[in-house]
Amino acid sequence: LKVSVTMATSHVCIRGGAKLGTTIQAPTPFIQSQLQQKRITFVAGDVKCSGYSSPFSSNIARCSIPRRRTASGLTVRADAAWQSAYNKPTAQRLVLDAGGKQIILETGEIGRQANGAIMATCGDTMLYTTACCAAGTMGDGSFVPLTVNYQERFSAAGKTSGGYIKREGRPRDAEVLISRLVDRPIRPMFTKGWSTETQVLQWVLSYDDAHPPEALAITAASAALLVSDIPFEKAVVGVRVGLVDGRYVVNPSSRQMAGSSLDLVVAGTRDAILMIEGYCEFLTEEQMLGAVEAGHTAIASMCRQMEAWAAQVGRPKRQELVLLPEGLEARVEQLVGGQLRQVYSASTSKEERSAAEEAARKVVESVLVTETFGGAVPTPLQLALALKAVKSKVMREVVLELGKRMDGRGLTDIRPITSRAGPLPRTHGSVLFTRGETQALCVATLGSAADAQKTDSMRTNYEESEERFYLQYFFPPSSVGEVGRAGAPGRRELGHGELAERALVPIMPAPADFPYTVRVESTITESNGSSSMASVCGGCLAMMDAGVPVLRPVAGIAMGLILEPDGRYSVLSDILGSEDALGDMDFKVAGDMDTITAFQMDIKVEGITLDIMRQALSQAREGRRHILGEMDKCSPPPRRELSKYSPRVVRTQVDPSKKGQVIGSGGRTIRQICAVSGASDITISEEGLLEIMAPSQESADAALEYVKLVTEDPPAGKIYRKRRVSGIQSFGAFVELGPGREGLLHVSEMDMQTVIDASTALAVGAEVDVMVMEASNGKISLSRRAVQMHDLGQKVPLPGEAGAAAGR
C-alpha cells in the first residue's frame, strides 16, 4: 500500500492497491514525526480485498474519512476513538458596521485547505474569497506576483446564462474590472520582498440586487490575506460612497445609487487612503473630497476591528522574503548616481534618457561583477533592482530639491499638445491627438439601437443591458517600441477604456435629442504617460467631428506625487511613464473647466492626506483648463455635423396596436421594408416609438413612407409607380403597394379602354402605375385609368368630388 498525508488535516489516508499477504511496514519518517507530536495515531484493523484477509501490523494509518470508504477495492474501517475526536468545522465571525449596514466576515468553516478563506456577507449578498500562495518563491523581489480573479455566478441571483454555453468560463469585462479594483489597493500592503506566487479567488454565491459586491470584494480579499500566513501588513477596507439628495451615503443600496450623482469607491487602511475610483456628473473638487473623507472615516473603524480579529484567528506569517544584499544599493548609487542626476536634471527626450540609463547599467554590471555583498556576487536581477532603486531615489531628489523633472519641465508644466480632426476620411469622425510623446488615434462611429453594447450578467438580463455609448481602448506593443502579444484586450486595456468611457458618458446628449448609438475607439500609437487621459481628449474631439452634440468639452490629465517619509512632497502635472513608475501616486482626473466627470487614484505608499489631494485636484483643474484651450485650437477643427458617410436616423410614433402589422409574421414585413427601401435597421418599442436607420436620407424617407402605408390609409389621389401585381381574379387584380399592404384594381379601372377580362390586361408579376381612389377600414381601391388620365394632363375626379360620376 501507498501511505500519504493530507497536509491541511494531518490525517493519514490509505490509497493504492495491495497484493494478498502484504504487510504495511514501519511508517515513513514524516509519519513518525507526526506520531511524536501526537498529531496522528495508528490503530490496528483488517483490510479485505477480493474476499481474502491480509495480515497487517499495528502501523496501519487512520483513514481521514469516517465510517467506511471503498477505494481501489479496499475497505478501510475507522475506529470509534477517531470519530469521537473529530471536530466539526465552526466559523469564527466578525461583524462590522459599514454606513449603518452589517458586514459579516467568517472563517474556519469553509475552505480550510486554503492559506486563508473568508465568507463575506452584506444583506443577502455573499462573497466567498480564498487566498493561496505557492510553496516557494518565484519572483526577484521587484514586484508581487499577485493574481486576483473575481467571478459572479448567475445562480447567485437565481438565473442561468442566456448564452449558448451555460457554464461560467472566460471572465466578462465587468468581472475583469472588479478584479482590478480589488488588486490595486491590496498590492501595496504585501510585505516588501514577498515574491511568492499569490492568488486571490472570489465568487459571488448569493446576490440580493440591493447590495453591490464591488466594495465588499476589496474587504473580503484583504480579510482572507489577513487571516492567512501570507505576509500582509495591514487590513484594507473598501466602501462605496454616493451623493443622494445632497448628502453622502456610505455603501448605498442599488436603488439609492440609481438616484446618486456620484459613484465613488474608496479603499484604504486605518491610517491612509490607498485607492479611489469614481464617476460623477460634473461635481466640484470639494464635493469629491467630502465623499473621500466620509468614506475613509468608515474605513478606519473597520480596519481596526479586522486587525484585532485576525490576531486571534489568523495564522503566523511566513518570512520568505527576497531582499537586496546589504550595501548593494549604496554601492550602485556611488557608481552611477551622479551620472543619472545629471541626465535627470537636463531637458532630455525619452530616447536620450533610455540611452543614459543603459550606459549606467553597463557600468554597474562591469564593475560589480567581481564584488561580493553578503558573501556572494550579486546576480543580474539584483543589480537591476538596485539600479531601479537608485534611479527612483535620484529622480525624487531632483524633483524635491530643484523642482525640475526628467524632461526639463517644471512641476506644473504640460507637454506640447496638437490635434487634427478628420485624418481618416471614410470614418464618421476621427481625430489624432498628441501630447508630448503620447498619441491617440480616436474614431467615433454612429449606429442604431441594434449596435448598442449588450451584456449578460448576474445583475441584468441580456435584453435589458444596453449601452448606447461605449469606448474601446487599444494599446499595441508598438506604441512603446516593443514586441508583444496582440489579440484580445488585456486587463490594463479594459481598465483604461472603462475610465475613459465613464469620463465621456456625462457629455452624451439625451436619446431624444440624438438617437444614435456612439462607439469610440482609441488606438494608442505612442505612449509615454497617461494614454487613458489622451483617449478622453481625443475621444471628445472625435465625437464632435462625428457630429455628436456633446453637452460640453472635457479633457483628462494624470497627476503624480513624490512623497518622502519626512513629509516633504511635490505634486506633478501631466506625468511621464517613468514618473508614474518611480513615483508614489497616479491620479487621473477628467472633467471640464471647473467640474469633474471621472477620477482614479492609486497610491503606492501610505501618508497621503486630504491637503495633498486638494493640491493635486487644484493643479489638475489648471491643467485641464490649459488642455481644453489647446483642444480648441484643433486644426483642422471638428466638423460638428454628420458626415456624408454617417447613417441617418428617422423617428416617428405609430399606434402601439399596429405594432404587429409593422413587424409582420416572424418579422417578415419589417424585413421587406428594409429590403425595398435600403434601410439598414428598423426598430419599434413597446410604446410604438419607431426608429429607422438608413445609409442615406432618401432611403430613410422611403422606409418611413412604407411604414406609414402599413399603419395609415393612404390619401385619395396618391400615385404609386411600378407596383407589382400580386394576384389576378375575374373582377380585377391585387396590387402590392408596399410590404404588408395591397389594394384592389377593379377591372373597370384597368385602362381608359374597356377591359372585359382582367387576365388579358395584366399578369401576376407585372408592374403598374396606380392611383388611390378610396381608402377606408384597411381597404384600398386603386385605378390605373386615373393615372393614364393624370399623365395626359386631364383632371381626375375623385370619389366625393363634384362631377366624379361624369368623369367616369
Side-chain angles (χ1 to χ4, degrees):
L1 290 176
K2 293 181 179 179
V3 181
S4 66
V5 177
T6 303
M7 297 296 295
T9 61
S10 297
H11 294 153
V12 179
C13 305
I14 299 178
R15 65 183 182 185
K19 296 180 180 179
L20 293 178
T22 303
T23 300
I24 296 182
Q25 301 300 322
T28 64
F30 179 80
I31 296 176
Q32 288 178 343
S33 68
Q34 299 296 296
L35 270 171
Q36 294 171 1
Q37 299 175 30
K38 298 183 179 180
R39 295 182 65 182
I40 61 173
T41 58
F42 288 108
V43 296
D46 295 329
V47 177
K48 293 184 178 180
C49 180
S50 302
Y52 292 95
S53 296
S54 300
F56 287 80
S57 69
S58 61
N59 288 335
I60 295 180
R62 174 196 301 163
C63 178
S64 65
I65 307 299
R67 301 186 183 279
R68 173 172 292 190
R69 176 184 179 185
T70 302
S72 303
L74 301 178
T75 300
V76 183
R77 292 186 178 88
D79 62 300
W82 179 83
Q83 294 186 51
S84 63
Y86 173 71
N87 293 321
K88 180 182 177 180
T90 57
Q92 302 292 324
R93 171 181 287 204
L94 173 66
V95 180
L96 302 170
D97 177 68
K101 297 180 176 66
Q102 279 193 347
I103 293 178
I104 301 172
L105 304 178
E106 295 177 300
T107 189
E109 181 182 22
I110 302 177
R112 292 173 296 157
Q113 296 190 42
N115 294 70
I118 290 289
M119 182 67 77
T121 304
C122 184
D124 285 340
T125 296
M126 299 181 68
L127 186 77
Y128 174 51
T129 301
T130 61
C132 291
C133 64
T137 59
M138 65 160 288
D140 55 15
S142 60
F143 70 102
V144 177
L146 169 68
T147 302
V148 177
N149 288 310
Y150 167 95
Q151 185 182 74
E152 295 178 350
R153 295 279 176 87
F154 282 87
S155 59
K159 299 179 181 179
T160 299
S161 172
Y164 180 76
I165 299 175
K166 304 303 181 184
R167 179 188 177 107
E168 286 86 351
R170 179 182 177 270
R172 291 175 286 276
D173 289 358
E175 294 172 328
V176 172
L177 294 172
I178 297 176
S179 297
R180 281 174 50 87
L181 195 70
V182 173
D183 183 303
R184 285 158 40 207
I186 66 174
R187 185 176 289 271
M189 286 295 102
F190 285 88
T191 302
K192 183 179 180 181
W194 176 251
S195 299
T196 301
E197 183 179 8
T198 305
Q199 186 179 54
V200 174
L201 302 178
Q202 300 188 294
W203 299 268
V204 179
L205 301 182
S206 177
Y207 179 61
D208 61 9
D209 200 32
H211 299 90
E214 292 92 336
L216 183 64
I218 297 173
T219 304
S222 164
L225 290 164
L226 210 59
V227 301
S228 74
D229 57 354
I230 299 170
F232 195 72
E233 296 291 323
K234 290 182 179 180
V236 176
V237 168
V239 297
R240 179 178 242 117
V241 182
L243 184 60
V244 183
D245 297 329
R247 66 183 184 89
Y248 300 114
V249 180
V250 177
N251 283 347
S253 65
S254 298
R255 180 174 297 180
Q256 288 175 311
M257 282 303 302
S260 174
S261 57
L262 169 69
D263 182 6
L264 171 67
V265 175
V266 186
T269 66
R270 64 178 185 271
D271 301 315
I273 297 165
L274 293 175
M275 182 207 75
I276 60 173
E277 180 167 320
Y279 311 101
C280 53
E281 298 173 2
F282 302 107
L283 297 184
T284 65
E285 285 88 352
E286 288 302 321
Q287 286 176 306
M288 196 271 282
L289 286 172
V292 172
E293 187 174 11
H296 189 256
T297 301
I299 286 171
S301 173
M302 289 189 283
C303 284
R304 284 189 284 268
Q305 295 177 65
M306 285 174 59
E307 289 172 3
W309 178 64
Q312 297 175 1
V313 303
R315 301 182 183 182
K317 298 298 184 182
R318 294 168 59 172
Q319 301 298 324
E320 298 143 16
L321 306 177
V322 178
L323 301 172
L324 288 178
E326 186 176 352
L328 178 59
E329 183 179 331
R331 178 63 173 134
V332 171
E333 183 179 3
Q334 180 185 15
L335 285 174
V336 297
Q339 175 184 341
L340 292 173
R341 185 181 180 89
Q342 182 178 359
V343 173
Y344 292 166
S345 302
S347 178
T348 56
S349 65
K350 181 179 179 180
E351 291 76 13
E352 291 171 331
R353 290 192 299 274
S354 298
E357 290 168 355
E358 177 64 17
R361 183 190 65 81
K362 292 179 178 179
V363 169
V364 169
E365 289 185 351
S366 62
V367 173
L368 300 185
V369 68
T370 58
E371 298 185 17
T372 59
F373 298 86
V377 175
T379 65
L381 284 175
Q382 289 175 328
L383 293 177
L385 285 176
L387 181 59
K388 180 181 178 181
V390 171
K391 289 193 294 184
S392 176
K393 182 179 180 180
V394 172
M395 183 273 289
R396 298 163 72 91
E397 288 176 351
V398 169
V399 170
L400 291 170
E401 296 173 7
L402 304 180
K404 296 186 64 176
R405 298 159 67 177
M406 291 183 177
D407 57 358
R409 286 183 292 150
L411 302 183
T412 61
D413 293 341
I414 310 298
R415 288 172 288 177
I417 294 174
T418 60
S419 51
R420 176 165 61 96
L424 306 175
R426 293 303 291 260
T427 60
H428 298 164
S430 60
V431 159
L432 180 66
F433 178 84
T434 306
R435 185 185 62 238
E437 296 165 307
T438 297
Q439 188 178 76
L441 181 60
C442 297
V443 176
T445 305
L446 307 183
S448 67
D451 298 311
Q453 179 73 57
K454 295 184 178 181
T455 55
D456 191 18
S457 74
M458 167 191 78
R459 313 186 200 202
T460 58
N461 294 323
Y462 180 78
E463 295 78 10
E464 301 172 353
S465 59
E466 290 189 355
E467 295 181 30
R468 58 183 293 265
F469 172 76
Y470 50 100
L471 185 147
Q472 294 167 335
Y473 169 97
F474 301 87
F475 190 90
S478 59
S479 64
V480 288
E482 296 178 357
V483 175
R485 182 186 67 87
R491 293 191 172 200
R492 180 181 180 277
E493 288 176 293
L494 292 175
H496 281 42
E498 172 75 1
L499 176 61
E501 175 185 316
R502 296 291 293 270
L504 294 171
V505 165
I507 70 172
M508 273 290 292
D513 299 327
F514 192 74
Y516 290 92
T517 293
V518 181
R519 177 192 180 211
V520 174
E521 300 170 40
S522 176
T523 302
I524 305 304
T525 52
E526 295 180 31
S527 180
N528 186 15
S530 190
S531 56
S532 62
M533 294 297 95
S535 299
V536 173
C537 301
C540 177
L541 290 170
M543 292 167 66
M544 295 164 65
D545 191 51
V548 180
V550 298
L551 300 185
R552 62 187 85 170
V554 295
I557 186 172
M559 311 297 294
L561 174 70
I562 305 298
L563 177 63
E564 291 297 311
D566 59 10
R568 292 181 302 151
Y569 72 91
S570 291
V571 177
L572 313 178
S573 297
D574 184 25
I575 57 174
L576 302 171
S578 53
E579 290 172 334
D580 181 8
L582 303 178
D584 298 319
M585 178 183 77
D586 181 13
F587 193 2
K588 300 181 177 73
V589 187
D592 64 2
M593 288 283 188
D594 298 302
T595 56
I596 297 172
T597 59
F599 47 91
Q600 183 184 91
M601 181 185 75
D602 293 305
I603 296 291
K604 302 174 187 177
V605 296
E606 290 185 286
I608 186 170
T609 63
L610 289 177
D611 288 336
I612 295 177
M613 290 183 61
R614 185 172 285 106
Q615 179 179 337
L617 287 169
S618 176
Q619 282 187 211
R621 182 177 64 250
E622 296 304 316
R624 290 198 313 276
R625 289 175 174 176
H626 172 78
I627 295 170
L628 285 167
E630 295 300 304
M631 289 168 57
D632 197 44
K633 300 175 184 177
C634 180
S635 180
R639 70 169 67 89
R640 296 179 182 267
E641 62 182 21
L642 294 179
S643 163
K644 63 181 180 180
Y645 301 112
S646 297
R648 264 50 181 178
V649 173
V650 173
R651 280 183 165 184
T652 188
Q653 183 68 40
V654 300
D655 186 347
S657 64
K658 296 183 178 180
K659 177 183 173 183
Q661 299 176 32
V662 176
I663 297 174
S665 177
R668 180 174 180 269
T669 301
I670 212 165
R671 288 197 299 271
Q672 286 181 334
I673 292 176
C674 289
V676 298
S677 67
S680 52
D681 185 46
I682 299 176
T683 59
I684 185 168
S685 69
E686 293 293 335
E687 295 76 22
L689 180 63
L690 184 134
E691 182 179 289
I692 301 170
M693 178 73 69
S696 66
Q697 192 64 46
E698 293 76 14
S699 179
D701 292 340
L704 181 60
E705 286 299 313
Y706 284 123
V707 170
K708 288 182 177 180
L709 183 61
V710 174
T711 59
E712 304 172 2
D713 290 331
K718 185 174 179 60
I719 297 176
Y720 291 93
R721 304 280 184 180
K722 294 184 178 181
R723 291 306 192 256
R724 179 180 173 274
V725 176
S726 59
I728 299 288
Q729 298 292 334
S730 59
F731 52 82
F734 290 100
V735 179
E736 184 179 7
L737 300 179
R741 200 69 189 268
E742 292 182 339
L744 174 62
L745 175 61
H746 193 268
V747 67
S748 63
E749 297 289 340
M750 282 190 177
D751 201 274
M752 295 180 67
Q753 305 297 323
T754 302
V755 177
I756 304 299
D757 185 357
S759 61
T760 62
L762 294 174
V764 174
E767 293 183 342
V768 295
D769 298 337
V770 294
M771 179 185 289
V772 176
M773 303 304 294
E774 189 175 4
S776 63
N777 299 322
K779 296 181 179 179
I780 304 175
S781 297
L782 304 174
S783 174
R784 183 186 183 197
R785 183 175 66 89
V787 175
Q788 293 171 342
M789 294 174 61
H790 175 274
D791 290 347
L792 291 173
Q794 301 178 15
K795 180 175 175 58
V796 179
L798 299 174
E801 293 181 355
R808 292 189 177 212

